[in-house]
Amino acid sequence: MTDESEGAVRAAVDGEMRLLDPEVRASPSRVLELLDPEFTEIGASGRRWDVESILTVTSSGSVPQESPVKVSDMSGVVLAPGVVHLTYFADHQGRRAWRSSLWRLTETGWRMYFHQGTLTA
């Protein structure tokens, strides 16, 4: 992987981890800094989300400080210049899911464009 690719993957991982941080999730302005205006998600529940619906849930304290999301097996790859695909395993209070997200570089920095979760046994 080139230095440029490594930097892109690091930036996407940093953004992903910030979005999982309960303090960031509690701040709509901080979440907005990380989500692309065209963001969509297919949640582990099967529900489809957009920026507005995500802001409603995250600002309601959906990830309490005392039970942060545990992340493992994080990996990333540059799909094209300015586009990074991340995959990882997440465990939040026993709800376990494989997660996948696409990050793209915009004029204002790296932003999550798409996210999907798939529950595991």
Side-chain angles (χ1 to χ4, degrees):
M1 194 180 307
T2 67
D3 288 346
E4 185 176 327
S5 293
E6 287 179 15
V9 170
R10 266 194 313 273
V13 168
D14 178 60
E16 192 84 37
M17 297 307 292
R18 286 174 52 208
L19 279 172
L20 293 171
D21 182 324
E23 287 183 32
V24 172
R25 292 175 70 89
S27 169
S29 63
R30 291 173 75 186
V31 171
L32 276 175
E33 291 173 0
L34 296 166
L35 295 182
D36 192 275
E38 298 176 25
F39 169 82
T40 58
E41 175 177 339
I42 300 169
S45 65
R47 181 176 172 185
R48 186 175 169 96
W49 302 83
D50 60 14
V51 172
E52 186 177 316
S53 58
I54 286 292
L55 288 176
T56 299
V57 171
T58 58
S59 62
S60 71
S62 63
V63 180
Q65 293 277 7
E66 60 275 4
S67 63
V69 177
K70 295 176 187 156
V71 174
S72 60
D73 299 324
M74 177 79 75
S75 66
V77 63
V78 175
L79 298 178
V83 180
V84 172
H85 179 223
L86 296 180
T87 58
Y88 61 97
F89 186 76
D91 185 332
H92 182 238
Q93 296 180 324
R95 186 172 186 195
R96 300 159 36 103
W98 281 105
R99 302 271 174 189
S100 174
S101 59
L102 292 175
W103 287 78
R104 69 179 176 181
L105 185 58
T106 69
E107 292 177 1
T108 58
W110 286 94
R111 291 180 170 225
M112 184 186 284
Y113 176 75
F114 177 79
H115 186 80
Q116 183 168 355
T118 303
L119 291 176
T120 64

